[in-house]
Structure formats: structure tokens, C-alpha cells
Amino acid sequence: MQYPNGKKSSQIRNKGNVKQTVYSNRGMSLEKDINDTNQYYLSHNVAIIHKKPTPVQIVQVDYPKRSAAVIKEAYFKQASTTDYNGVYKGKYIDFEAKETKNKHSFPLHNIHQHQIDHMKQVIDHYGICFILIRFSVYQETYLFPAENLFKYWEQQFKNNGRKSLRYETVKKQGYIIPIRYQAKVDYLAVIDQYYMENGGTTDGR
Amino acid sequence: MQYPNGKKSSQIRNKGNVKQTVYSNRGMSLEKDINDTNQYYLSHNVAIIHKKPTPVQIVQVDYPKRSAAVIKEAYFKQASTTDYNGVYKGKYIDFEAKETKNKHSFPLHNIHQHQIDHMKQVIDHYGICFILIRFSVYQETYLFPAENLFKYWEQQFKNNGRKSLRYETVKKQGYIIPIRYQAKVDYLAVIDQYYMENGGTTDGR
């Protein structure tokens, strides 16, 4: 979407706080945009997608009289799945979202082996699975199907294997996500398109 | 499953720790059985179902040098969805699990309004949604379809409305879950049966 002054809508939308959201607070702007989008989907009865809570190992809890329990010691645990899942038209949807400041590639160390394992399982069970990759310098967000990701994931473990997805690869094998006023990362628009192009695999088989 | 001495397999399995799991540690034995079942489903490639992490509001985190970040102050948040979800044969599965010591009824205060709202949304979007109710004194666990729950939920707000589901209602409108050696709460067996009985609604429409 181009505006008369040649700026993309996302740049206009972020005017005034682009520095804060993209640089100081890396990762948060994509998460916020997705949460807003999911809230829009929910309130407009389009789909039910939620972010999973951050997994925490709780070690010590105080129960003060007359007030809420306080967790006094806890540690972050590594998630065993992706961050987002839910239901769209009866289908299971599952995805991870990552942001990079890089201009030319998306480093694969942003993803973990167990997340790849989980994605493979989801695909095996006919779920719809992908990662959302935002290149923050371009303010572009792509849906990259999990099916296309696995070979690049494996390649990195070979001799001199590339440890990242090239921007061009993401552009070619992914789908740019339209930015809408309320659904800032309207990934379901791409799901409709992507799965239609692939011969209606949204039917589950 | 009956053993020669007339005890149910679940009673035998719990021998020696039945007091601990059912009474002192209410709610944990069902959760553990479901987690074991989900692990079995996962490792045998039957379905991908995970428990969501407990939602926590993190207030203060310390970052000590050379060691892991420590959460020093956090609070439990109310979950906005049910506890379990995932994918089975391409379909979205979503459920809550609750245990009661009561003999004659399941108190509805075990469930919250926002969970009911979430269940309605899931049903609207052709997901498979239910609660698992364990009557610990009988060591019986039932799958109670969300569709059957809503009217009892609403009834409690009427004058002299019943605030619980009668055990007999759960028996009649729910499905007892078979106990298997590895899948201790084999709810997918009931899903196959229940949705077949209802004319193959596992097709999503």
C-alpha cells in the first residue's frame, strides 16, 4: 500500500514511535501487532487465536493474609511449542513470530530445534503451521510456511551450511502480509490465499 | 476394565498413593493423567495436545551476572481460555479439566464465565470443545461436550437455579472415558465415538 508521499502505510502508522518500537523494544512491536490482530479476529468472529502464556518454573510462592499469592522466585522455561495457536474455520492454526533488524537475512538461531519438531508434528496432523517473519527495517512481515522452512533448517547443520534464511528466499517462498487498519498483521488473508493456491489443503488432508 | 479381585484398574493403579493424589493433592492426579496421556498421544503420533502454561503477571526480574534471570515478583493471572488445546486429525481440539470430590454433583463454580465464552467461540468456529470431569471418589472421568454444558451454565443464574451439574446428568449427557495402561484418560477414543454418533461432525461443518 503506497501513500502519495511514497511512504508505506506501516511507516506512517509508526510515525513518532518508530524508533521506540523497532529499535529499543525489538520484538515487541510485532507481538503487539499480532495481539491486536488476534483481538480484531476474536471480536469480529473471524478466528480464535491466542498467544500462549510465557512458561515459567515457579519455585517459591508466598500467601500473605488477605491478599493475593505472590510468586517470589521463578525462572523462565524454554517453550516446548510455538507461541500462538487456535482455530480458523475448524482448522488448527499454529505459528511462531519473529522479528529481525537484519536487512539481508533472517538468522535461524531465532528458532529452536524443539519448535521445529513441534511444527513437523503439526504438519503431520494436518494443522496449518508457519512462522511470521518481520524485517523491521523494511516494516515488512512475511508468512513463511513451515513446510518450506524445514530444508533450510536442516541445511545449516551441513558443512558450511547457511545459518540464515536469505531475505530473497523469504520473499520468494513466503507471502507478504497485508497491513490493514485494524488487522495490522492480517495473516488469515494469506492463509486463504496460500491454501487456495495449494489446492485447498485447508480441507485437512 | 475389571480385575479378578473386582477392583477397577484405576483403583489398582492408584494403590498406595490414592490418598495423596485424590485428597491432599486434589486436581493434580487428573492433570498428571492427562499430561501422561498427551505425552503418549505425542510419542505415538496420535495427536498434538499440550497444556498451556499457567499465566503469570511478571512484575520484577533480576538479572544476576553469569546466571539465569530470576523472577522476584509475579502474580497468578486468570486464564482467558481453557487449559488444553491442540490438533487431532487436522481438527482443533480444546478442553478444560476439573476434578471434584463430590459424590452427587459437579459444582459449576469450578468453571469461569470467560472460559464458557471461549468454549462458545470455539464451537462457533467448528472446533471440538469439551470439559473432562473427574469424580475422584468413583475414579471416573467423563467427557462432557461443551454444547451440552451451556444450558446448565445459564440455568444457574435463574431464580433458584441449580449451581451444579448432577452426577446423573454427567453420566447421561457425557461419555465415560476408558482407562488404558498408557493413555490413562483416553479421551480421543470418546471423541471418535462421540463425533461419529453425531453424524461425523469431525468434518468441521
Side-chain angles (χ1 to χ4, degrees):
Chain A
M1 201 188 201
Q2 295 285 327
Y3 279 76
N5 61 2
K7 282 183 181 171
K8 286 187 180 173
S9 62
S10 62
Q11 291 171 315
I12 289 176
R13 204 183 63 243
N14 280 320
K15 201 171 67 175
N17 65 353
V18 71
K19 250 184 146 162
Q20 182 193 344
T21 52
V22 178
Y23 300 103
S24 327
N25 208 0
R26 186 162 72 99
M28 285 311 287
S29 70
L30 178 58
E31 180 176 328
K32 186 181 181 316
D33 286 353
I34 293 171
N35 288 346
D36 289 350
T37 301
N38 289 342
Q39 189 53 48
Y40 173 84
Y41 288 156
L42 192 65
S43 62
H44 289 70
N45 208 26
V46 178
I48 316 296
I49 317 274
H50 288 276
K51 183 173 190 294
K52 292 190 182 181
T54 304
V56 158
Q57 179 73 46
I58 297 167
V59 175
Q60 194 205 329
V61 182
D62 277 9
Y63 298 93
K65 276 180 192 169
R66 293 162 203 265
S67 58
V70 190
I71 298 162
K72 300 296 279 182
E73 185 185 354
Y75 298 89
F76 294 102
K77 283 198 297 186
Q78 210 173 43
S80 51
T81 64
T82 50
D83 270 358
Y84 300 87
N85 74 357
V87 59
Y88 175 55
K89 295 181 179 171
K91 302 297 163 195
Y92 178 73
I93 299 260
D94 190 299
F95 64 95
E96 185 62 39
K98 294 291 179 193
E99 195 158 358
T100 182
K101 286 192 289 188
N102 288 13
K103 286 180 183 171
H104 304 298
S105 66
F106 171 76
L108 287 169
H109 66 68
N110 279 299
I111 310 172
H112 305 291
Q113 182 64 52
H114 59 269
Q115 292 180 314
I116 295 287
D117 296 341
H118 173 73
M119 288 179 186
K120 284 182 179 167
Q121 290 164 342
V122 169
I123 297 291
D124 269 2
H125 288 266
Y126 313 108
I128 296 173
C129 191
F130 52 88
I131 55 172
L132 298 182
I133 303 173
R134 173 169 290 180
F135 287 93
S136 51
V137 285
Y138 308 123
Q139 281 291 313
E140 289 174 350
T141 310
Y142 291 86
L143 183 152
F144 199 78
E147 293 93 331
N148 299 354
L149 177 65
F150 301 142
K151 71 172 174 196
Y152 296 102
W153 181 262
E154 299 304 334
Q155 261 177 22
Q156 70 176 315
F157 303 113
K158 292 178 184 161
N159 270 343
N160 301 314
R162 202 185 164 82
K163 304 282 186 284
S164 64
L165 274 178
R166 293 174 61 220
Y167 173 64
E168 290 306 319
T169 305
V170 175
K171 262 179 114 79
K172 271 185 201 157
Q173 299 189 16
Y175 300 83
I176 194 160
I177 293 176
I179 299 162
R180 300 201 201 288
Y181 177 63
Q182 284 174 300
K184 290 174 183 173
V185 192
D186 189 9
Y187 55 90
L188 291 181
V190 173
I191 290 291
D192 285 336
Q193 177 203 347
Y194 169 61
Y195 279 82
M196 275 195 292
E197 276 182 10
N198 281 271
T201 34
T202 42
D203 285 340
R205 308 278 151 148
Chain B
M1 201 186 202
Q2 294 286 325
Y3 279 75
N5 61 3
K7 282 183 181 172
K8 285 189 180 170
S9 64
S10 62
Q11 291 171 315
I12 289 175
R13 205 183 62 243
N14 280 322
K15 202 172 67 175
N17 66 353
V18 70
K19 250 183 146 163
Q20 183 195 342
T21 52
V22 179
Y23 300 105
S24 326
N25 208 359
R26 189 162 72 97
M28 286 309 287
S29 70
L30 177 59
E31 181 176 328
K32 185 181 182 318
D33 286 354
I34 293 171
N35 288 346
D36 289 350
T37 302
N38 289 343
Q39 189 51 48
Y40 173 84
Y41 288 157
L42 192 66
S43 61
H44 288 70
N45 209 26
V46 178
I48 317 296
I49 317 276
H50 288 276
K51 183 174 191 294
K52 293 190 181 181
T54 303
V56 158
Q57 178 73 46
I58 297 167
V59 176
Q60 194 203 328
V61 183
D62 276 10
Y63 298 92
K65 275 182 190 167
R66 293 162 204 268
S67 58
V70 190
I71 299 162
K72 301 295 279 182
E73 185 185 354
Y75 298 90
F76 294 102
K77 281 197 298 186
Q78 209 172 42
S80 51
T81 65
T82 50
D83 270 357
Y84 300 87
N85 75 357
V87 59
Y88 175 55
K89 295 181 179 171
K91 301 298 164 193
Y92 178 73
I93 299 260
D94 190 298
F95 64 96
E96 184 63 39
K98 293 292 178 190
E99 195 158 357
T100 182
K101 287 192 287 188
N102 288 13
K103 286 179 182 171
H104 303 298
S105 67
F106 171 76
L108 288 168
H109 65 67
N110 279 299
I111 310 170
H112 305 291
Q113 181 65 53
H114 60 269
Q115 292 180 312
I116 295 287
D117 296 342
H118 174 73
M119 289 179 185
K120 284 182 179 167
Q121 290 164 341
V122 170
I123 297 290
D124 269 2
H125 288 266
Y126 313 108
I128 295 172
C129 191
F130 51 88
I131 55 172
L132 298 182
I133 302 173
R134 174 169 289 180
F135 287 92
S136 50
V137 285
Y138 308 122
Q139 281 291 313
E140 289 175 350
T141 309
Y142 291 86
L143 183 153
F144 200 79
E147 293 92 330
N148 299 354
L149 177 64
F150 302 142
K151 72 173 170 194
Y152 296 102
W153 181 262
E154 298 304 333
Q155 260 175 23
Q156 70 177 315
F157 303 114
K158 292 179 185 161
N159 269 345
N160 302 314
R162 205 186 159 80
K163 305 281 186 283
S164 64
L165 274 178
R166 292 175 61 221
Y167 173 64
E168 291 306 321
T169 305
V170 175
K171 262 180 115 79
K172 271 184 202 157
Q173 298 189 16
Y175 299 83
I176 194 159
I177 293 176
I179 299 162
R180 299 201 202 288
Y181 177 62
Q182 285 175 301
K184 289 173 185 174
V185 192
D186 189 9
Y187 55 89
L188 291 180
V190 173
I191 290 292
D192 285 337
Q193 177 203 346
Y194 169 60
Y195 278 83
M196 275 196 291
E197 277 182 9
N198 283 269
T201 33
T202 43
D203 284 340
R205 308 282 151 146

